[in-house]
Amino acid sequence: MKRKCITILLISIATIFLNINIYAAEKHAVVYTEFRGGNFNHSGDGTIDSPYNLFEDAFDAVADGGTIYIMDRGAFINDIDGVSPFAITKNVTIAGVNTSVRPDLTVWASGMVLGADATFKNIILSFANAYRPVVCANGYSLVMDNISYSKNTRVIHLSGGRMSDLNGVSLSPEAGERSSIVVRGKDTSFGNIYAGSINDSFDKDIDIKVEDVSGQNIGVIYACGAEQGYYNGTNFLAPDNEPKEPL
């Protein structure tokens, strides 16, 4: 009788762990995130009542083609290793949870690059890292709908190509077949838009559309790529030490 009880207990424990693993691996069409404190605090379950503290956890949990909603207090992406961008590797929409408040998405990684289609809607982007403050489409669809960069951090540029380091080593996922950049919305603002890559070549076709955006809110649109702008990383405390625009 005792052996049977022990066997039943072990089966129950195994079932509990199996259920936990299944839940952890489950992907959701809608996920919520809000940075409530702690750069490495993996709290929350992605629901509106308990949003993920870290954007990375929300991204891991969202299904391909799903939506990540950023709540009013904003969201946070950690620095990866000081030089790598944050890669979006599944089709996703990243949006503010309501239209009356545009929450802040603070990015400490060195830029962002697509490995799938991405739509950003009704948020403010803050690139805290001065190296490559650029979002690269990399052969996929990039939609910026009512998106602006934070005036408290740095100007953000857009690129249709891929992203590489200064030695030409790719920092991007595998490129898609065709780049598309759509920038729209009266509250949208960015720096320059480059058809090509940052620090590399790019041979894919690209479409660039700017809709309902004031001309003063967009920089120059280039039919080429560029080298990343110079930045003096040894003098990062100087208040006027900002990265130069890609040229």
Side-chain angles (χ1 to χ4, degrees), residues 112-159:
M112 300 180 78
V113 61
L114 304 192
D117 298 338
T119 295
F120 294 78
K121 189 172 184 178
N122 294 325
I123 60 175
I124 296 173
L125 287 174
S126 297
F127 276 27
N129 195 319
Y131 290 102
R132 291 183 303 276
V134 182
V135 182
C136 293
N138 189 38
Y140 297 93
S141 171
L142 172 63
V143 177
M144 294 294 193
D145 188 350
N146 208 32
I147 305 296
S148 61
Y149 62 88
S150 171
K151 303 304 187 290
N152 295 322
T153 52
R154 47 196 40 92
V155 177
I156 296 174
H157 308 283
L158 304 179
S159 161

Side-chain angles (χ1 to χ4, degrees), residues 33-36 52-55 68-77 94-98 100-108 112 120-129 146-154 156:
T33 182
E34 184 174 55
F35 185 62
R36 297 182 174 180
Y52 286 114
N53 182 62
L54 297 181
F55 182 90
I68 299 173
Y69 283 112
I70 299 175
M71 301 182 71
D72 292 351
R73 291 170 59 180
F76 179 84
I77 298 177
I94 301 165
V97 74
N98 65 63
S100 61
V101 176
R102 288 196 300 162
D104 192 283
L105 174 56
T106 300
V107 181
W108 275 93
M112 300 180 78
F120 294 78
K121 189 172 184 178
N122 294 325
I123 60 175
I124 296 173
L125 287 174
S126 297
F127 276 27
N129 195 319
N146 208 32
I147 305 296
S148 61
Y149 62 88
S150 171
K151 303 304 187 290
N152 295 322
T153 52
R154 47 196 40 92
I156 296 174

Side-chain angles (χ1 to χ4, degrees), residues 37-234:
N39 292 18
F40 302 99
N41 176 11
H42 296 277
S43 62
D45 61 13
T47 62
I48 193 168
D49 294 323
S50 181
Y52 286 114
N53 182 62
L54 297 181
F55 182 90
E56 298 96 308
D57 291 338
F59 185 79
D60 288 342
V62 74
D64 187 61
T67 299
I68 299 173
Y69 283 112
I70 299 175
M71 301 182 71
D72 292 351
R73 291 170 59 180
F76 179 84
I77 298 177
N78 275 303
D79 181 20
I80 298 170
D81 55 16
V83 296
S84 297
F86 182 80
I88 295 179
T89 52
K90 62 181 76 171
N91 300 319
V92 67
T93 296
I94 301 165
V97 74
N98 65 63
T99 58
S100 61
V101 176
R102 288 196 300 162
D104 192 283
L105 174 56
T106 300
V107 181
W108 275 93
S110 299
M112 300 180 78
V113 61
L114 304 192
D117 298 338
T119 295
F120 294 78
K121 189 172 184 178
N122 294 325
I123 60 175
I124 296 173
L125 287 174
S126 297
F127 276 27
N129 195 319
Y131 290 102
R132 291 183 303 276
V134 182
V135 182
C136 293
N138 189 38
Y140 297 93
S141 171
L142 172 63
V143 177
M144 294 294 193
D145 188 350
N146 208 32
I147 305 296
S148 61
Y149 62 88
S150 171
K151 303 304 187 290
N152 295 322
T153 52
R154 47 196 40 92
V155 177
I156 296 174
H157 308 283
L158 304 179
S159 161
R162 60 184 178 177
M163 181 184 294
S164 298
D165 65 16
L166 288 172
N167 296 316
V169 177
S170 177
L171 300 171
S172 307
E174 183 176 352
E177 292 301 315
R178 186 185 186 93
S179 287
S180 172
I181 296 178
V182 177
V183 180
R184 60 174 175 247
K186 63 181 181 62
D187 291 323
T188 291
S189 62
F190 283 101
N192 300 331
I193 302 176
Y194 302 87
S197 291
I198 302 300
N199 300 334
D200 212 331
S201 61
F202 194 70
D203 59 0
K204 309 289 185 179
D205 291 334
I206 176 169
D207 299 316
I208 299 174
K209 295 181 181 179
V210 178
E211 305 170 346
D212 301 321
V213 180
S214 169
Q216 64 184 3
N217 288 349
I218 296 291
V220 180
I221 299 177
Y222 292 93
C224 61
E227 299 293 325
Q228 73 181 67
Y230 171 77
Y231 175 69
N232 182 1
T234 63

